Amino acid sequence: MTIRQMCELFDVTPRTLRFYESRELISPERRGQHRLYNRRDRARLKLILQGKRFGFSLEDIRQLLELYDPRENNVTQIAATIEASRQRLADMTRQQEELTVAIDELRQRIGNAERMLEDRRRG
Amino acid sequence: MTIRQMCELFDVTPRTLRFYESRELISPERRGQHRLYNRRDRARLKLILQGKRFGFSLEDIRQLLELYDPRENNVTQIAATIEASRQRLADMTRQQEELTVAIDELRQRIGNAERMLEDRRRG
DNA sequence: GCAAAAGTTGACGCGAACGTAAAGCAAAAC
DNA sequence: GTTTTGCTTTACGTTCGCGTCAACTTTTGC
């Protein structure tokens, strides 16, 4: 799959893909000079974009990707990856709890505002 | 409450508080030249920091704050605020759904990695 | 075979969200 | 009473995550 096809599939620009590659988040094969993306690359990109929506930095995401398909077989490296991942998991569970509360409150606020707006419009 | 007290309470720098003020996210009183923060300011700052953890921009957050305690009484303004807030709510619910799935998967990955690590250490 | 399209590597630019250093004022401590 | 402490504004600097040329090669269509 070419870079253009990837861009259309995931709604990103070529610049973005090359940038992620420069940060070692993806590493497509080369046919001559051109890049070729396979299933693994697509899976990684999907995770990258998801991680971004959760507010993680690209460096955080890079570490998570190590867990999802490891390149390093060093034992201490793996342990470090696990530890970093545990931290991300803690971030995510806390965020989930906060989200639940925040969503509930936001719904109520919107409801109030809607009623207030209706009152204003009538009288 | 002085700027320094705010900083300690919320673990931010004075620069950050002044920056948020310049973006009209908070507007503390003045005693002479000095800033004084009240309960309302603290509530707003709490929401700001929470919004940031959810990955919202300061501009997104500014619009949400309008909903939480409105300054504008203009009807069309209120309607716009409600609409923007609905969008944020949609973002948040989607993020919540994604988070649930992602947390589940990450837990499994960590579990796998831990078992793998144990195997390596033994053999 | 040759132009156009698609891809490549620099390199500089940019907005967001602050960091940081400089220079000054003002109340408070000694 | 002057030195320290705490806050102020002004302004330039920095990092992240790309956007945007520019200049070049490579592949593809006709």
Side-chain angles (χ1 to χ4, degrees), chain A residues 8 14 21 29 33 57-58 61 66 69 71 77 90-91:
Chain A
E8 284 176 14
E21 188 176 346
E29 291 173 45
Q33 284 288 76
S57 73
L58 293 184
I61 295 170
E66 290 283 322
D69 66 345
R71 6 185 120 213
Q77 268 290 350
D91 293 346

Side-chain angles (χ1 to χ4, degrees), chain A residues 20-118:
Chain A
Y20 290 165
E21 188 176 346
S22 76
R23 297 304 185 85
E24 301 184 351
L25 295 174
I26 40 182
S27 47
E29 291 173 45
R30 293 295 181 113
R31 180 171 54 187
Q33 284 288 76
H34 292 30
R35 292 169 171 81
L36 282 184
Y37 298 85
N38 58 25
R39 209 180 59 253
R40 178 173 176 271
D41 297 319
R42 289 193 286 277
R44 291 175 73 92
L45 182 56
K46 190 177 170 187
L47 279 170
I48 293 168
L49 298 178
Q50 189 174 249
K52 284 199 57 189
R53 282 196 294 277
F54 296 156
F56 290 148
S57 73
L58 293 184
E59 177 55 26
D60 283 343
I61 295 170
R62 198 187 59 75
Q63 291 182 21
L64 274 178
L65 285 173
E66 290 283 322
L67 187 76
Y68 277 70
D69 66 345
R71 6 185 120 213
E72 299 286 340
N73 289 335
N74 181 347
V75 173
T76 55
Q77 268 290 350
I78 297 177
T81 298
I82 291 178
E83 185 45 36
S85 300
R86 279 215 199 89
Q87 191 53 57
R88 295 300 131 251
L89 180 61
D91 293 346
M92 287 160 75
T93 41
R94 184 186 172 188
Q95 192 168 337
Q96 191 185 31
E97 290 163 8
E98 279 190 35
L99 254 181
T100 305
V101 177
I103 285 174
D104 227 60
E105 190 168 340
L106 184 51
R107 280 215 180 97
Q108 289 185 26
R109 300 272 185 175
I110 290 178
N112 283 342
E114 281 169 339
R115 281 188 291 279
M116 202 184 74
L117 189 61
E118 267 312 296

Side-chain angles (χ1 to χ4, degrees), chain B residues 45-86:
Chain B
L45 182 55
K46 190 177 170 187
L47 279 169
I48 293 167
L49 298 178
Q50 188 172 247
K52 284 200 57 191
R53 282 196 295 277
F54 296 157
F56 290 149
S57 74
L58 292 184
E59 177 54 25
D60 283 343
I61 294 170
R62 199 186 59 75
Q63 292 183 21
L64 274 178
L65 284 173
E66 289 284 322
L67 187 77
Y68 278 69
D69 64 347
R71 5 186 121 213
E72 298 286 340
N73 289 334
N74 181 348
V75 173
T76 54
Q77 267 290 350
I78 297 177
T81 300
I82 291 178
E83 186 45 37
S85 300
R86 278 215 198 88

Side-chain angles (χ1 to χ4, degrees), chain B residues 103-120:
Chain B
I103 285 175
D104 227 62
E105 191 169 340
L106 185 51
R107 278 213 181 98
Q108 289 185 26
R109 300 272 185 175
I110 291 177
N112 283 342
E114 281 170 339
R115 280 187 290 280
M116 203 184 73
L117 189 60
E118 269 311 297
D119 291 354
R120 293 272 178 102

